[in-house]
Amino acid sequence: MYDDTLDLSQPITWESEEERQAAIAFFNAAFRAEESGLRQAHEIAGDVEKWDPELAETLRLYGDEEGWHRELLTEFLGWLGGEVRPMGPTTTTFYKLYARAKRPETIVLVNLMFETIGSTTYRLALRTAKPHPTIRHMLTILTRDESFHVPLNVHFLRRVLEHEGVDSPLRLRAVYHALSVALAASAAASRRRAKKFDNIPFPTLARAYTEQLGRLFVHADDLGFEPSKPLLWAFGLRRSDLNDQGDLISADAAERAADRSQVIVEAL
Ligand SMILES: [Fe+2]
Ligand SMILES: [Fe+2]
């Protein structure tokens, strides 16, 4: 993975300063997601070490991959003429709440949901964001790896639930539902800052989040989650709309995606 370097020698022409600022905001949000993923993965690895050292090693490698993304994004933000900026109020609230989660299954579930909205945003942006080779390359790396992180985190969640048992299934389901709503709503905040760059309208993004978050568990009945009915309704989705995607979240899916050179990256 370290051989995959960005070509930062190509100049870029912006339509306006607003477009450039929106790009900086978009990739700052990505940077924060990487940072949070890295920290949580390494933190959980410490607990998991006691009962499954191999799984702990996987968590560490996964965290390292997020660390590599963070490095790429730091360089990339410099190329945009930007930098890593302090978080806005919505993002700060999200990460503050997340930092309070203590139980490993809550942390893994939240991480899985963040990975899902991350990969969804990148896949949509691949189609609609400014068509520049360096931007495409950055988005392709993120899309490819975050799509792999989704089944990987489903696997982590299964293993953690098997080991810890669910202390309170209702509480975990409440986290899933509350976060599904909050993430769909967060699309509004991100539209204010990043839409001039990614060109994704609010209804498209919020609907895609709802669809992908719902899809996550349609193929994993054992985890006991059901897509949020009011949210599906709000975005004109039916439960049957969530069934038409093949196996994207099993351990087999993760294994198929492990060799990144073989992964075909598709826009949404
Ligand atoms: Fe990442
Ligand atoms: Fe990730």
Side-chain angles (χ1 to χ4, degrees):
M1 93 195 178
Y2 292 112
D3 296 335
D4 209 346
T5 49
L6 295 166
D7 175 8
L8 302 177
S9 64
Q10 307 231 30
I12 183 163
T13 322
W14 299 100
E15 307 276 324
S16 63
E17 177 57 15
E18 286 80 37
E19 187 192 26
R20 191 179 74 90
Q21 290 300 333
I24 295 170
F26 181 99
F27 289 103
N28 257 279
F31 178 93
R32 293 301 175 187
E34 304 301 347
E35 190 176 55
S36 154
L38 163 64
R39 195 183 47 242
Q40 303 286 13
H42 284 187
E43 223 171 272
I44 296 189
D47 290 337
V48 169
E49 181 73 48
K50 293 168 214 138
W51 51 273
D52 190 340
E54 283 191 323
L55 190 67
E57 180 63 9
T58 314
L59 276 155
R60 268 187 218 107
L61 289 170
Y62 153 63
D64 291 348
E65 186 158 276
E66 302 297 29
W68 173 60
H69 287 168
R70 191 180 62 164
E71 272 169 45
L72 283 181
L73 282 164
T74 310
E75 272 179 68
F76 185 79
L77 279 165
W79 176 74
L80 295 175
E83 66 287 293
V84 177
R85 293 182 176 166
M87 289 185 272
T90 317
T91 331
T92 308
T93 314
F94 262 115
Y95 288 119
K96 265 196 186 151
L97 282 171
Y98 187 26
R100 281 171 48 194
K102 287 287 170 273
R103 292 199 54 92
E105 71 271 22
T106 314
I107 296 175
V108 178
L109 173 66
V110 173
N111 217 29
L112 168 61
M113 295 178 76
F114 281 7
E115 293 287 1
T116 306
I117 64 149
S119 64
T120 305
T121 315
Y122 301 141
R123 284 178 70 194
L124 286 167
L126 260 181
R127 190 185 301 285
T128 52
K130 196 176 181 67
H132 182 283
T134 311
I135 290 176
R136 274 202 77 80
H137 190 194
M138 184 75 249
L139 286 172
T140 304
I141 292 175
L142 294 174
T143 307
R144 179 197 65 193
D145 297 346
E146 305 311 338
S147 302
F148 166 62
H149 294 168
V150 171
L152 190 64
N153 272 278
V154 171
H155 179 68
F156 292 149
L157 184 59
R158 278 211 173 96
R159 295 286 291 119
V160 168
L161 286 174
E162 263 165 38
H163 181 262
E164 308 272 332
V166 191
D167 170 47
S168 163
L170 276 179
R171 196 183 49 85
L172 202 60
R173 260 173 247 167
V175 170
Y176 170 65
H177 285 293
L179 197 57
S180 293
V181 174
L183 289 172
S186 77
S190 85
R191 296 311 71 212
R192 277 196 300 281
R193 281 194 211 91
K195 187 169 165 237
K196 279 218 163 64
F197 163 70
D198 61 37
N199 301 308
I200 311 169
F202 170 75
T204 308
L205 189 63
R207 189 177 197 271
Y209 283 177
T210 303
E211 198 172 348
Q212 299 302 326
L213 287 171
R215 243 175 207 157
L216 264 184
F217 296 109
V218 165
H219 295 283
D221 293 348
D222 55 310
L223 296 174
F225 294 99
E226 274 290 320
S228 163
K229 286 197 187 99
L231 262 189
L232 290 183
W233 176 82
F235 292 106
L237 290 160
R238 278 171 315 202
R239 200 184 183 286
S240 55
D241 296 333
L242 308 178
N243 291 332
D244 60 348
Q245 206 171 33
D247 162 34
L248 291 178
I249 57 163
S250 67
D252 284 345
E255 251 173 61
R256 279 199 303 276
D259 180 354
R260 298 323 144 73
S261 62
Q262 301 298 315
V263 175
I264 300 157
V265 176
E266 284 174 69
L268 255 187

